[in-house]
């Protein structure tokens, strides 16, 4: 039996090698050159106001929180409302800056439920960190409206949302800041990189300094300027080394050319899963919001006796994943005083079925029919 894995990235090898070759021949693999090009292409493609290429989305989420805290004078202990159903990078970003994550519950889309968020807004709430889980925008529009009404900042963890469109706009267009992941198994795969997109030009400029140790001139610009004093720079902050490099950018440039085509293929595989699984006894599918075109990073279902189901799928050479466990189950977040019953229920039942570009229709049929047999009462 051929194994069917959760994720297998597809790289256009010859095109990627040609882009990387250009870096090697030029003698420039670091910040600048291809990183400038991917930022320009990303802005062109998505219509987002600014873009700065980084080493990962984890770095981007930290910068997002750091810079908003700095700009608005948030104090240690101020609160950010967030979801317990995410990768820990999302919530670590809040803790890096000594802010307090306040967990709100998710809805049937597995994204933050606006009603639960509203309930948890208090005098020290400063921002909402919304995660588009699996590329699904969920009730993002309602959460955004809530932020605007209550004077809160909206940080969008768009790690899964490369190529998610909400109506005619790319996800993140109206957030205060959106952060995308281009890690190896994401929809725009490199090895490790990401993009931070601030709404404000001033914060975009700050992000460029903060991601390069707080230095106010990047080496590429300095090297290529005719300025006699190109060696001279100032250091404005104790920044980080978070910027992306030209080898990753070369990979991203190729992946971006195929993003929409690849996501269309993912959506077609998901429709096939939907047709095979909706109404199947014991399988709950996660609904998408009409009028949105999600990237479909994940295809998630909820089943009873999840762990046993995973073992039985593995016995049939099918290897799904779990995105994610309720973060308050981790020792690190266990002290959060929360009640998020939907997130806890989902955390115990969620399975991400195999979804990637090397999957055939027959593979989807095999996964769906095996799952139906395994969970049948
Ligand atoms: C929801 C979410 N946020 C953030 C990240 C972090 O992305 P990166 O690996 O690019 O740091 C991930 C990665 O899996 C994720 O799933």
């Amino acid at each position: 039996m051929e194994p069917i894995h959760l994720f297998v990235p597809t790289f256009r090898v010859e095109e990627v090698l040609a882009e990387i070759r250009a870096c090697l021949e030029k003698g420039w693999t670091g910040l600048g050159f291809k990183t400038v090009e991917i930022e320009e292409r990303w802005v062109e493609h998505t219509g987002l106001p600014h873009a700065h290429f980084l080493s990962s989305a984890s770095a981007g989420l930290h910068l997002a929180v750091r810079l908003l805290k700095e700009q608005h004078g948030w104090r240690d202990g101020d609160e950010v409302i967030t979801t317990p159903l995410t990768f820990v990078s999302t919530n670590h970003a809040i803790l890096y800056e000594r802010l307090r994550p306040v967990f709100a519950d998710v809805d049937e889309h597995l994204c933050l439920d606006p009603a639960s968020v509203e309930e948890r807004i208090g005098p020290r709430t400063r921002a909402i960190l919304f995660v588009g889980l699996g590329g699904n925008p969920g009730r993002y529009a309602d959460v955004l409206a809530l932020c605007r009404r209550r004077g809160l900042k909206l940080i969008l963890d768009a790690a899964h949302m490369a190529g998610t469109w909400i109506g005619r706009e790319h996800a993140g267009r109206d957030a205060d800041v959106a952060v995308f992941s281009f890690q190896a198994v994401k929809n725009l795969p490199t090895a490790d990189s990401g993009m931070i997109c601030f709404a404000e030009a001033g914060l975009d400029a700050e992000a460029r300094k903060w991601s390069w140790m707080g230095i106010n001139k990047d080496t590429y610009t300095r090297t290529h300027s005719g300025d006699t004093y190109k060696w001279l720079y100032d250091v404005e902050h104790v920044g980080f080394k978070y910027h992306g490099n030209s080898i990753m950018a070369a990979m991203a440039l190729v992946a971006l050319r195929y993003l929409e085509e690849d996501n269309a293929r993912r959506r077609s595989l998901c429709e096939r899963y939907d047709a095979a699984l909706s109404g199947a006894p014991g399988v709950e599918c996660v609904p998408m919001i009409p009028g949105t075109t999600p990237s479909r990073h994940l295809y998630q279902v909820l089943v009873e006796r999840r762990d046993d189901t995973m073992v039985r799928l593995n016995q049939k050479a099918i290897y799904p994943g779990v995105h994610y466990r309720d973060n308050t189950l981790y020792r690190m977040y266990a002290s959060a005083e929360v009640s998020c019953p939907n997130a806890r229920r989902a955390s115990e039942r969620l399975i991400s079925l195999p979804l990637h570009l090397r999957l055939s229709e027959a593979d989807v049929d095999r996964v769906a029919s095996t799952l139906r047999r395994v969970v049948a009462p």
Side-chain angles (χ1 to χ4, degrees):
M1 228 175 334
E2 274 298 304
I4 304 181
H5 294 284
L6 169 65
F7 295 136
V8 184
T10 290
F11 298 107
R12 275 73 183 193
V13 176
E14 293 310 319
E15 283 177 72
V16 168
L17 290 176
E19 287 287 348
I20 292 177
R21 174 177 287 277
C23 300
L24 302 180
E25 284 177 352
K26 187 179 173 68
W28 200 277
T29 54
L31 169 65
F33 186 40
K34 292 287 170 189
T35 68
V36 177
E37 200 179 330
I38 186 62
E39 289 171 354
E40 288 170 0
R41 292 290 93 74
W42 184 250
V43 164
E44 233 169 63
H45 185 84
T46 59
L48 292 170
H50 307 96
H52 179 43
F53 188 61
L54 295 173
S55 55
S56 70
S58 301
L61 288 163
H62 180 204
L63 273 189
V65 175
R66 177 84 194 92
L67 268 60
L68 287 173
K69 185 183 186 206
E70 179 92 359
Q71 187 187 38
H72 296 283
W74 299 347
R75 313 271 290 268
D76 289 1
D78 282 350
E79 296 170 359
V80 177
I81 297 181
T82 182
T83 171
L85 208 62
T86 185
F87 186 58
V88 286
S89 286
T90 315
N91 294 321
H92 282 11
I94 301 168
L95 290 179
Y96 293 150
E97 290 305 318
R98 300 169 305 284
L99 299 170
R100 198 165 85 85
V102 171
F103 292 103
D105 209 354
V106 299
D107 58 19
E108 69 277 25
H109 306 288
L110 307 178
C111 296
L112 278 176
D113 175 355
S116 174
V117 170
E118 186 149 27
E119 226 177 72
R120 287 165 205 206
I121 295 175
R124 297 198 70 180
T125 308
R126 302 288 173 252
I128 295 172
L129 209 171
F130 189 95
V131 178
L133 197 70
N136 181 4
R139 294 198 170 86
Y140 167 79
D142 297 334
V143 172
L144 177 68
L146 178 62
C147 284
R148 296 298 174 245
R149 228 173 31 246
R150 303 291 293 265
L152 304 172
K153 294 292 163 194
L154 181 67
I155 303 167
L156 179 62
D157 178 341
H160 302 175
M161 298 180 102
T164 285
W165 296 85
I166 303 173
R168 296 164 71 90
E169 294 202 336
H170 194 278
R173 184 69 206 275
D174 36 18
D176 293 292
V177 54
V179 178
F180 297 86
S181 174
F182 302 155
Q183 181 265 340
V185 301
K186 300 298 192 296
N187 291 42
L188 199 155
T190 62
D192 260 314
S193 59
M195 197 71 92
I196 189 164
C197 303
F198 276 105
E200 279 184 33
L203 285 176
D204 176 67
E206 281 299 297
R208 290 165 195 278
K209 293 182 240 169
W210 278 93
S211 69
W212 171 223
M213 308 302 285
I215 294 172
N216 67 0
K217 273 190 214 167
D218 75 73
T219 315
Y220 186 73
T221 313
R222 285 196 285 120
T223 306
H224 293 83
S225 85
D227 183 358
T228 316
Y229 286 93
K230 58 185 176 187
W231 49 270
L232 185 67
Y233 58 75
D234 194 11
V235 184
E236 298 180 11
H237 319 281
V238 183
F240 310 102
K241 194 157 191 299
Y242 279 174
H243 64 79
N245 67 60
S246 284
I247 301 294
M248 291 302 109
M251 296 185 79
L253 281 164
V254 176
L256 180 55
R257 288 179 209 144
Y258 293 94
L259 177 65
E260 298 305 327
E261 180 186 324
D262 289 354
N263 285 355
R265 172 68 183 158
R266 286 171 175 276
R267 285 191 290 276
S268 137
L269 294 170
C270 290
E271 279 167 22
R272 197 166 181 98
Y273 271 133
D274 279 342
L277 292 173
S278 57
V283 181
E284 221 178 290
C285 296
V286 177
M288 299 293 120
I289 298 260
T292 65
T293 312
S295 65
R296 296 317 309 243
H297 174 58
L298 300 173
Y299 188 89
Q300 297 179 287
V301 294
L302 287 82
V303 299
E304 300 294 330
R305 297 186 307 282
R306 187 265 316 279
D307 299 359
D308 177 50
T309 303
M310 296 281 278
V311 171
R312 294 178 66 191
L313 289 170
N314 289 176
Q315 286 164 351
K316 301 286 181 197
I318 295 169
Y319 302 100
V322 172
H323 299 90
Y324 289 92
R325 286 181 72 215
D326 177 341
N327 285 190
T328 64
L329 291 169
Y330 301 132
R331 230 174 313 166
M332 183 61 243
Y333 290 98
S335 59
E337 315 124 39
V338 282
S339 165
C340 298
N342 295 338
R344 184 56 61 92
R345 179 179 179 277
S347 170
E348 289 162 357
R349 289 170 178 76
L350 271 175
I351 297 186
S352 301
L353 297 181
L355 183 59
H356 54 80
L357 302 172
R358 299 192 197 185
L359 216 59
S360 67
E361 273 75 9
D363 292 332
V364 170
D365 296 346
R366 186 178 128 204
V367 173
S369 61
T370 310
L371 180 68
R372 286 182 76 123
R373 270 201 309 282
V374 165
V375 300

